[in-house]
Amino acid sequence: MRIEITSLDQLRAHREAGHDLRGALLTGLDLTDPADDRLLRTALDGAVLLGCTLSPVTARRAEAAGALLFPVIPELPYEVYRTSLYTPEELFEGFDPSYPQSYVDTVDARIYRHSKERGRQPDPLYALAERLHDHAISEALTAALAQNGSRPIAVMGGHALTRDSAAYRAAVELGMAIGSSDTSFTVLTGGGPGAMEAVPLGVRLSGSPSSTVDSALRELATAPRFGSGRSVDTATIGRWLVASLRVELPPAPAPRTIGIPTWFYGHEPPNRFCALHAKYFANSVREDGLLTVATGGVVYTPGSAGTVQEVFQDYTQNHYAAPGKPAPMVFLGKDFWSTEVPAATLVQQLARGREVEHWILVTDDPAEAVDLLERYAIDQAAERA
């Protein structure tokens, strides 16, 4: 297994311990300083250097010693070889709350424009860069979840919920119920507006008095929508973002809310209430990854075609027990999931006689939903014991 080195301090400690760099993976290091350059004067057979900055002489010497060098790709508005997830502050860098239209200048908006301008058939160099970026994000997401040590669950739902609606408040209350659980959950959502924003807000506000929640919802209701249609309205998104920046969040000891959005839906901005974002270019990779890492189960709030697609993508994994044991599928909203969009009815039919049948719930009660997730966590802990 390769050792991964992502900082100069880590590289120095590795070399001071007497280890060489055979088979090592070095990412994003500036090794142009002569003192750091000397750290590469060792066996490099099979080493991989991703986006490291080297002098021409050092680069030639490293390649001659058996290292494989992946260079920095110029003129990109994003890091190809990331070693960490995005923070909201990073994605919204360049935003001026006094000028909502400045959303167009944010890192998030610039990356979206760059990807969109390349069209459906981008230059192979840019296509490769996006694939490498998405692989790095997957690695960073895996590392973040392992470091957090809590049980990852996903809450799925559409972007259409407006902040001034009863359904948005219900999604906030669901997040509060999850956040108040004695079981340590990390809550994953699609990272965008609507239910994807409301649930992480609830997690962040869990334990807060009702007056704090009411105040936050009143502030958010001043900009209830992020926009409409599939076009990017930077002024409307900017006002939507300003309202969320006015909401005071209690300090979080660990990132228990992670968004997994995509630039494929670039008209949907990422939300501020997810502590971290694993943002992808490829929506297919993002959706499969979100459902796969939610090993503690998935809660489905009412949504449209995208949410329905996720229901059956998730059920397929559970039906064939891939990649592991079946996990809970909770449909929150009986009328919606049984009558208006009867996806739950079909899932229950397909699950009859299978192990997953025991872990499918259709309910209107967030407490009942959380109880099933907690029982599954206890069941899995007992199996591992």
Side-chain angles (χ1 to χ4, degrees):
M1 184 174 180
R2 292 184 185 275
I3 180 172
E4 298 185 15
I5 299 175
T6 59
S7 72
L8 288 173
D9 287 342
Q10 187 183 359
L11 176 59
R12 292 176 189 126
H14 180 79
R15 296 289 288 116
E16 288 169 2
H19 302 303
D20 60 36
L21 294 173
R22 283 177 289 192
L25 176 65
L26 281 64
T27 305
L29 304 184
D30 184 346
L31 296 162
T32 53
D33 185 282
D36 297 325
D37 176 274
R38 284 194 289 271
L39 297 172
L40 296 183
R41 293 180 180 271
T42 184
L44 291 168
D45 307 75
V48 178
L49 279 65
L50 298 177
C52 294
T53 305
L54 311 173
S55 71
V57 171
T58 302
R60 289 193 295 269
R61 188 176 66 240
E63 288 181 324
L68 183 61
L69 275 59
F70 286 74
V72 174
I73 300 176
E75 300 178 355
L76 295 179
Y78 57 91
E79 297 176 58
V80 173
Y81 313 107
R82 290 188 64 88
T83 58
S84 62
L85 300 181
Y86 293 96
T87 64
E89 292 77 16
E90 182 179 2
L91 290 172
F92 296 138
E93 182 181 347
F95 182 69
D96 180 358
S98 66
Y99 183 61
Q101 290 87 339
S102 65
Y103 176 77
V104 73
D105 299 321
T106 62
V107 169
D108 183 66
R110 288 190 288 111
I111 295 175
Y112 171 62
R113 283 199 306 277
H114 182 275
S115 178
K116 187 176 178 63
E117 287 165 0
R118 299 300 173 270
R120 293 180 179 269
Q121 297 293 330
D123 181 288
L125 176 64
Y126 296 121
L128 176 62
E130 291 183 0
R131 300 304 182 271
L132 288 170
H133 169 277
D134 284 1
H135 172 76
I137 288 294
S138 292
E139 293 290 303
L141 176 59
T142 299
L145 291 173
Q147 184 177 11
N148 211 5
S150 58
R151 181 167 291 273
I153 63 170
V155 181
M156 316 300 281
H159 65 246
L161 291 188
T162 58
R163 289 166 162 176
D164 55 355
S165 67
Y168 188 96
R169 175 181 280 273
V172 170
E173 291 171 351
L174 170 63
M176 294 180 70
I178 295 171
S180 299
S181 170
D182 291 335
T183 303
S184 179
F185 291 118
T186 294
V187 180
L188 313 172
T189 75
M196 298 178 281
E197 175 190 56
V199 172
L201 173 60
V203 174
R204 301 287 291 272
L205 293 179
S206 58
S208 299
S210 58
S211 58
T212 299
V213 179
D214 291 341
S215 176
L217 291 175
R218 280 196 302 271
E219 189 63 65
L220 292 172
T222 63
R225 295 175 175 80
F226 74 94
S228 60
R230 293 186 55 83
S231 61
V232 177
D233 182 344
T234 55
T236 302
I237 292 176
R239 289 189 288 272
W240 176 87
L241 177 55
V242 167
S244 68
L245 292 172
R246 292 183 182 138
V247 173
E248 293 188 15
L249 297 173
R256 296 184 58 200
T257 55
I258 299 177
I260 307 183
T262 172
W263 281 293
F264 180 80
Y265 295 128
H267 64 294
E268 294 182 11
N271 71 67
R272 179 207 168 203
F273 302 131
C274 288
L276 296 171
H277 283 284
K279 191 153 190 178
Y280 289 89
F281 287 102
N283 185 50
S284 58
V285 176
R286 166 251 194 172
E287 286 190 344
D288 183 69
L290 173 53
L291 294 170
T292 299
V293 300
T295 54
V298 182
V299 179
Y300 291 95
T301 65
S304 189
T307 306
V308 174
Q309 174 185 331
E310 290 155 355
V311 166
F312 291 105
Q313 194 169 345
D314 182 26
Y315 179 72
T316 300
Q317 292 184 0
N318 284 325
H319 189 88
Y320 295 108
K325 291 183 68 63
M329 296 181 69
V330 180
F331 296 88
L332 194 60
K334 281 186 177 181
D335 286 344
F336 182 86
W337 289 116
S338 299
T339 304
E340 187 174 342
V341 179
T345 304
L346 180 53
V347 165
Q348 288 173 315
Q349 176 68 30
L350 289 168
R352 285 182 181 174
R354 292 181 173 270
E355 184 180 359
V356 68
E357 182 179 17
H358 179 63
W359 297 111
I360 296 174
L361 173 67
V362 185
T363 182
D364 289 321
D365 186 358
E368 190 177 8
V370 174
D371 178 68
L372 182 71
L373 297 172
E374 291 173 338
R375 287 193 284 113
Y376 182 77
I378 293 170
D379 180 83
Q380 294 303 294
E383 283 196 7
R384 290 193 297 269

